[in-house]
Amino acid sequence: MTTTSKRIPTEVKAAIKRVQSQACLSPAECEQARALLKVLMNHIYELQKGVRQMVLFTCNKKYGDQTIERLESQGIPYVLQPAGRQNLNVYFGKRECLEAIRLIVTRPLNQLTPEEDFILGAMLGYDICAQCERYCKRKGECKGECKCENCINKN
């Protein structure tokens, strides 16, 4: 019988050891850092395999340096955006997508227009019908399920 730790890729294990070697305040904080790093590594894997073209990764600012170090070591372009007092939004992926992000996301995400929010969601690969419904709700035009043509044809 194999344990979960044997299935963790070598690069994730090395990154986890780096996290463990840093002074964590508590075991819970160390576990949180490990979990966050695994999520980041999964996003990077999906990007490299072509599953997604762009990723939005939100982390505590104290993990920002590790996140940037990992992206730079993989040669992955990124854009940083503060997200409140303690968090950091890290967009990474294809350069074309990041250029659009620099133009669209010029303020906190909760201040985006419905159109900007829709474009961002579509770029991140979110379900397009869910994005249509979200857009209509934010515009105050729809009260329930989305009525867009693509969604109607799916149902």
Side-chain angles (χ1 to χ4, degrees):
M1 181 174 170
T2 60
T3 61
T4 306
S5 64
K6 289 184 180 178
R7 286 185 252 149
I8 298 173
T10 306
E11 61 184 20
V12 174
K13 287 181 185 177
I16 289 170
K17 285 183 183 179
R18 282 195 305 276
V19 168
Q20 290 172 331
S21 69
Q22 295 178 352
C24 290
L25 297 175
S26 69
E29 188 179 54
C30 286
E31 187 58 37
Q32 180 184 13
R34 273 189 232 110
L36 194 68
L37 194 56
K38 286 179 185 179
V39 170
L40 175 63
M41 298 305 292
N42 185 65
H43 285 319
I44 290 172
Y45 174 82
E46 290 179 348
L47 181 72
Q48 291 172 334
K49 294 296 180 185
V51 174
R52 43 178 93 238
Q53 305 303 309
M54 189 179 72
V55 175
L56 168 55
F57 178 70
T58 303
C59 65
N60 190 296
K61 287 180 182 176
K62 64 184 167 187
Y63 304 119
D65 288 342
Q66 291 172 323
T67 301
I68 292 166
E69 178 185 317
R70 173 54 64 183
L71 293 172
E72 287 180 349
S73 74
Q74 299 283 320
I76 300 171
Y78 59 89
V79 172
L80 303 175
Q81 178 193 41
R85 291 185 198 141
Q86 296 181 12
N87 291 328
L88 183 66
N89 283 337
V90 183
Y91 298 88
F92 61 92
K94 303 285 184 181
R95 289 193 188 282
E96 304 86 346
C97 296
L98 295 176
E99 289 304 317
I101 288 299
R102 283 186 183 94
L103 297 172
I104 296 169
V105 185
T106 57
R107 57 195 171 283
L109 296 180
N110 64 347
Q111 295 176 12
L112 294 180
T113 66
E115 291 79 11
E116 292 165 333
D117 181 80
F118 180 86
I119 292 167
L120 177 61
M123 289 175 67
L124 290 167
Y126 297 167
D127 178 83
I128 199 68
C129 288
Q131 284 303 114
C132 290
E133 187 172 349
R134 178 178 167 90
Y135 174 74
C136 290
K137 284 180 181 176
R138 290 193 69 201
K139 291 293 277 189
E141 298 293 325
C142 111
K143 308 289 188 267
E145 286 193 26
C146 183
K147 305 278 189 285
C148 78
E149 190 66 30
N150 290 331
C151 298
I152 292 169
N153 292 335
K154 284 172 101 178
N155 295 330

